[in-house]
Amino acid sequence: MLPSLGCHAHRFACVYRAGKSVTFDADSTILKYMNILVIGGAGYIGSHVARELLDRGHRVTVFDNLSSGLRENLFQEAAFVHGDMIRYEQLVQSMNGMDGAVYLAAFKAVGESMVKPEKYSVNNIVGAVNLLNAASETGLKYIIFSSSAAVYGEPAYLPIDEKHPTNPENYYGFTKLEIEKFLSWYDRLRGIRCASLRYFNAAGYDVKGRIKGLEQNPANLIPIIMETACGTRGGLQIFGGDYDTPDGTCIRDYIHVSDLAAAHALALDYISANGKSITVNLGSEKGSSVREVLETARRVTGKPIPAAVSDRRPGDPAKLTASAALARELLGWEAKHSGLETLIKTSWDAYNQA
Ligand code: UFG
């Protein structure tokens, strides 16, 4: 038995909310404030997205199996369903009355995906198929999908735009690309509009400090540096110091999670107003090397952060940067908080207080 969703379960029940009327366009199909299911909304990126949607007046229900999501990332103003996408009936029940879904719940460890493909097939691919079938069954109109720059594989040119060939080099990236294809077929056959958002390197914490839950066993650079600064890790391994880059370490495009969250809300506005699906990159268009990230973290935290160069990590391209021109053009989006200082400072605020 799932918990009651209250007014979230009735699409047109909440006509007035906190003094704001729900507004419709001329043909009464576009809802300005929507009922949104945020699947994976207790996770790192999901909690930032849920916060952003709430701030913009949407009615949010978080659906999360808490396998990596945290109860402390839930907000009082949002309903919560402790559910799993693999359980189709749970998903259908939670999607009844929803206008849209943000689909974040997925396994995302690139290295693990290469040794445990079955785990990624079930969670990522089966989860996505369940979502789409549940969307058909319930009449859900809009999906915002957390895709990844991992769909591109080794860059053929930089910066990477959306026309770049897609040739994922790891199973995780393959699952993201396949899900994009499912979404595009359901757009064509079922009229479900979708925004596939290809994130580059998500980092940072809510600029207003409202999200406190820290990722468990992180595999990404900035949280590893933060754990080292806190003393919960002994040191940072720099994976390769002999790349063809100015300081020999890999360059990535780090994008602040609050900027990512804003893009989700804008993408929802776009696909509902224009009635068409989109695929866009989300990156800062700036490249930072591992050493630059480390030096900024040493300065901002005031901690020594021990580090040593080790072997290259297999599959790491020397340099990845995004073109976000399409997101700017279609969504009016820009990265506002993605300077290295802000990325590190907001991360340190979260780690230092924990
Ligand atoms: N790195 C280290 N030491 C570490 C961890 C990372 O030197 O302990 C380096 C990596 O070699 C890489 C950079 O830091 O050069 C960033 O590595 P991350 O593991 O943080 O991120 P990736 O660039 O490998 O991948 C991330 C996401 C993927 C996504 C990709 C898109 O994890 O899901 O960005 O650009 F697909």
Side-chain angles (χ1 to χ4, degrees), residues 108 110 148-150 172 199-201 219-222 224 236-239 250-252 254 290 313 316-317 320:
K108 59 166 191 164
V110 169
S148 167
Y172 161 75
Y199 309 161
F200 280 65
N201 291 56
N220 295 118
L221 179 66
I222 292 180
I224 288 174
L236 170 73
Q237 275 184 289
I238 299 174
F239 296 143
C250 288
I251 291 176
R252 292 290 179 275
Y254 295 91
V290 174
R313 188 172 64 176
D316 267 345
L320 277 181

Side-chain angles (χ1 to χ4, degrees), residues 50-265:
R51 185 65 264 163
E52 177 75 21
L53 293 171
L54 287 166
D55 289 351
R56 290 177 187 241
H58 294 294
R59 293 171 295 277
V60 171
T61 298
V62 168
F63 181 98
D64 200 301
N65 68 6
L66 299 179
S67 63
S68 59
L70 301 166
R71 280 190 189 274
E72 64 185 300
N73 281 344
L74 299 172
F75 300 104
Q76 220 178 1
E77 313 95 285
F80 173 59
V81 177
H82 186 189
D84 199 314
M85 297 185 83
I86 301 307
R87 297 179 60 187
Y88 181 71
E89 289 308 324
Q90 276 191 352
L91 204 49
V92 168
Q93 197 178 339
S94 301
M95 281 166 62
N96 269 319
M98 293 290 157
D99 303 298
V102 185
Y103 171 34
L104 302 117
F107 292 136
K108 59 166 191 164
V110 169
E112 183 190 52
S113 76
M114 296 296 277
V115 289
K116 295 184 182 167
E118 302 82 5
K119 178 175 169 182
Y120 282 69
S121 299
V122 172
N123 193 66
N124 296 10
I125 303 274
V126 176
V129 171
N130 279 350
L131 171 65
L132 282 165
N133 287 349
S136 294
E137 189 173 333
T138 59
L140 181 123
K141 296 202 223 74
Y142 310 117
I143 295 175
I144 309 296
F145 171 52
S146 302
S147 190
S148 167
V151 300
Y152 294 116
E154 182 70 31
Y157 59 82
L158 292 171
I160 295 178
D161 58 19
E162 294 79 359
K163 294 195 180 84
H164 187 286
T166 49
N167 189 18
E169 291 210 336
N170 51 65
Y171 195 72
Y172 161 75
F174 165 78
T175 65
K176 292 287 175 181
L177 186 59
E178 291 309 293
I179 295 165
E180 286 191 5
K181 292 177 186 168
F182 282 119
L183 291 166
S184 113
W185 273 104
Y186 275 66
D187 171 339
R188 199 162 136 190
L189 302 176
R190 291 286 176 260
I192 298 163
R193 304 297 178 226
C194 167
S196 290
L197 306 180
R198 293 176 172 169
Y199 309 161
F200 280 65
N201 291 56
Y205 269 79
D206 179 45
V207 288
K208 294 186 182 152
R210 295 165 296 178
I211 292 162
K212 314 265 184 224
L214 302 180
E215 282 192 284
Q216 309 298 303
N217 306 313
N220 295 118
L221 179 66
I222 292 180
I224 288 174
I225 288 177
M226 291 296 116
E227 289 190 353
T228 310
C230 292
T232 48
R233 262 180 211 256
L236 170 73
Q237 275 184 289
I238 299 174
F239 296 143
D242 58 353
Y243 283 96
D244 184 16
T245 58
D247 66 18
T249 65
C250 288
I251 291 176
R252 292 290 179 275
D253 182 323
Y254 295 91
I255 176 78
H256 197 285
V257 68
S258 295
D259 286 331
L260 284 184
H264 289 69

Side-chain angles (χ1 to χ4, degrees), residues 34-35 354:
M34 298 192 218
N35 292 323

